[in-house]
Amino acid sequence: MSGKIAGALLLLLACAMICSRYIREKRRAIRLAEAFAAALCRMEGMIRWQNLPLPRVLEQESKKTPCGEYFSEISQYMKSRYTLHNLWQETFARIPESGTRDLLCRL
């Protein structure tokens, strides 16, 4: 009898661990999407109102987390002969969450 109870408790524990991991991943994806929305809004403001060029804006945004790593990669590769469109799609194609990835690649 105690073996059945222990097995049931282990199953419940496994389900709880799987659910908590899923919830943690979804929350991380939501925070990343919100951070990208805020970063794009800041970038728009810097370009529109402060008349800053895009490479300088990308350098400033690359210092902020969690989106900074993506923007720093774009700003580093902008010095090469690739187009911004290709760099943007290659960089944001690595985002794990599909909704955010597709939205950012379409920008």
Side-chain angles (χ1 to χ4, degrees), residues 16 18-19 23 53 59 74 96-98 104:
I18 290 171
C19 287
I23 290 170
E59 286 177 15
I74 291 173
E97 206 274 320
S98 65
L104 286 170

Side-chain angles (χ1 to χ4, degrees), residues 54 73-91:
L54 184 62
E73 186 174 333
I74 291 173
S75 68
Q76 287 174 358
Y77 288 121
M78 275 184 70
K79 296 169 185 141
S80 65
R81 298 244 180 227
Y82 294 110
T83 63
L84 178 62
H85 177 72
N86 290 340
L87 290 174
W88 192 272
Q89 285 190 338
E90 286 179 23
T91 302

Side-chain angles (χ1 to χ4, degrees), residues 46-88:
M46 284 188 269
I47 291 170
R48 180 176 288 177
W49 303 112
Q50 296 175 2
N51 293 327
L52 295 176
L54 184 62
R56 190 165 165 205
V57 170
L58 287 172
E59 286 177 15
Q60 288 181 1
E61 284 299 317
S62 66
K63 298 172 187 167
K64 298 182 172 112
T65 56
C67 313
E69 64 186 70
Y70 298 102
F71 292 127
S72 67
E73 186 174 333
I74 291 173
S75 68
Q76 287 174 358
Y77 288 121
M78 275 184 70
K79 296 169 185 141
S80 65
R81 298 244 180 227
Y82 294 110
T83 63
L84 178 62
H85 177 72
N86 290 340
L87 290 174
W88 192 272

Side-chain angles (χ1 to χ4, degrees), residues 1-12:
M1 185 71 167
S2 64
K4 289 181 182 180
I5 294 173
L9 289 175
L10 285 174
L11 283 174
L12 287 173

